[in-house]
Amino acid sequence: MTRARATRTGAFAIAFLLGATVCRAEDSPSTAARVQAALANVATLQRPDQDGLVTAFDGNKYIQCRRLDDATTRCEAGGALLQPSLAHVLTPTKIDRLAALGWRLDPSFGNYLRVFPAGAPNADVAAAIVQALAEGYDADVAHLDVRSDWIARRPCPPRNGQTQNLAGAIADPPAFPAQAIRACAYAPPADTTLHPPTGSVQDLIDIYGARVTGEIQRLRVNLDREIYVIFDADIGYVQCAPETKPPSIYCEAQSADSWPALSAMLTADRVARLHAAGFADPGRAPNYWKSYPLDSADDATIARDMLTILHDVYGYTGAQKLKVTTERSPKG
């Protein structure tokens, strides 16, 4: 069986499960033109108390757009929180590319969101969808399936459940009602360890920025106390404590001297990133280190630096929850 035939057969099975009629790749010459036609369809055919949906997909690599009653178009690209297999596709490089194209992580369902304003040309929206699928997902855009549909207008329509085909996509009725998500955000079962997937530095800041900034602020406020905070990604950590002479926040990034297993990770390029961020080599301490003078560095800037180092130097993408430890945390 050829790759193209296998792709189309798999997509047909998904369409059947969703109970939808799809526009197949061979029905028209241009992928972008097919997406544009579907967008025009939901804009033109306005049904009372219903919202139009356009879904373009290659297997479980999908983007779904919902035209709202204010004429904005809210598009979501599938994420790995509800479709774990996409973790093999959405590498940090791919997520950075999505971010560069204007798609940002929406923690509600772990999808990547972009909202197009009312009046945005359908051709531009279609081009953005195809580009994101091609460059963010390596989708076979020449053989995308495209569908338009309508759902009852409600704040939080039902979605396909975790690991289902097109998981996280709006579907009314869902393919498997018992597993459907009927809420405004996905809450993992209590016995799982799933965390919102990330990839770019900005995604980490969106999720952890407030917490890290607050911990740095605690150090500033308690400058004369012997306190500290550690941000541990399991594959490396950064830690900070207050200094009084001169008043500053002193931070370290873990080195291979303190954990030899880091020798393979801390390549010359990654160490160069530490140097570019102003960190000095081990010597004063067993780790790389930097002091942030309080009169020239604000808490949010220090927090951003810590998360950037975890991402750029240690390869932390958020697949595991960031562990925050302080002097008051239980020992052992």
Side-chain angles (χ1 to χ4, degrees):
M1 180 179 289
T2 66
R3 179 181 181 276
R5 181 176 297 174
T7 300
R8 290 196 292 270
T9 301
F12 179 81
I14 292 171
F16 178 79
L17 288 172
L18 292 174
T21 300
V22 298
C23 174
R24 311 209 59 75
E26 55 267 33
D27 292 338
S28 57
S30 166
T31 298
R34 291 185 292 117
V35 177
Q36 181 180 346
L39 291 167
N41 181 209
V42 299
T44 302
L45 180 52
Q46 298 185 18
R47 296 177 173 175
D49 300 318
Q50 294 189 357
D51 291 329
L53 292 176
V54 171
T55 309
F57 57 96
D58 169 20
N60 280 318
K61 303 172 182 178
Y62 74 85
I63 290 179
Q64 183 180 71
C65 297
R66 180 183 178 192
R67 183 178 172 85
L68 303 178
D69 58 354
D70 62 0
T72 59
T73 302
R74 189 179 194 275
C75 296
E76 297 182 38
L81 178 62
L82 289 170
Q83 190 61 263
S85 63
L86 286 178
H88 301 288
V89 176
L90 292 169
T91 63
T93 299
K94 292 298 186 184
I95 294 173
D96 284 344
R97 183 56 186 154
L98 284 174
L101 294 174
W103 300 80
R104 302 296 293 276
L105 180 70
D106 178 5
S108 299
F109 296 99
N111 289 339
Y112 294 86
L113 175 67
R114 183 172 177 183
V115 178
F116 296 88
N122 290 327
D124 293 350
V125 179
I129 291 169
V130 173
Q131 183 180 21
L133 285 170
E135 299 180 16
Y137 293 83
D138 285 333
D140 182 3
V141 294
H143 297 98
L144 288 181
D145 289 300
V146 182
R147 57 171 287 185
S148 61
D149 206 349
W150 283 259
I151 59 167
R153 182 171 297 149
R154 63 186 77 177
C156 304
R159 295 172 181 256
N160 292 325
Q162 188 187 29
T163 73
Q164 295 176 16
N165 288 323
L166 301 184
I170 295 170
D172 193 7
F176 298 96
Q179 286 77 43
I181 301 170
R182 302 180 186 276
C184 293
Y186 174 65
D191 60 347
T192 72
T193 57
L194 288 173
H195 304 290
T198 68
S200 70
V201 171
Q202 188 58 52
D203 287 336
L204 289 178
I205 291 169
D206 289 344
I207 294 172
Y208 294 115
R211 173 68 190 277
V212 176
T213 299
E215 293 291 351
I216 299 298
Q217 182 184 51
R218 183 180 72 94
L219 302 182
R220 180 189 295 266
V221 171
N222 296 279
L223 195 64
D224 58 350
R225 295 177 58 193
E226 294 184 357
I227 60 176
Y228 63 85
V229 63
I230 303 171
F231 305 107
D232 190 351
D234 284 339
I235 52 176
Y237 66 73
V238 292
Q239 59 185 4
C240 299
E243 287 185 319
T244 56
K245 296 181 180 180
S248 57
I249 301 297
Y250 171 79
C251 297
E252 294 183 353
Q254 191 175 21
S255 76
D257 290 344
S258 63
W259 189 27
L262 286 174
S263 296
M265 174 176 289
L266 292 176
T267 62
D269 177 65
R270 291 175 184 261
V271 171
R273 296 175 192 177
L274 278 168
H275 291 162
F279 278 71
D281 287 327
R284 175 186 180 183
N287 292 324
Y288 299 92
W289 62 275
K290 177 179 180 179
S291 288
Y292 292 86
L294 293 188
D295 59 359
S296 60
D298 60 61
D299 303 326
T301 297
I302 299 173
R304 185 181 185 91
D305 279 2
M306 296 304 104
L307 291 169
T308 299
I309 288 167
L310 288 174
H311 179 275
D312 290 353
V313 176
Y314 301 100
Y316 177 57
T317 64
Q320 300 294 327
K321 185 176 181 180
L322 184 65
K323 182 179 179 181
V324 181
T325 304
T326 74
E327 74 286 346
R328 298 182 65 86
S329 299
K331 302 298 188 291

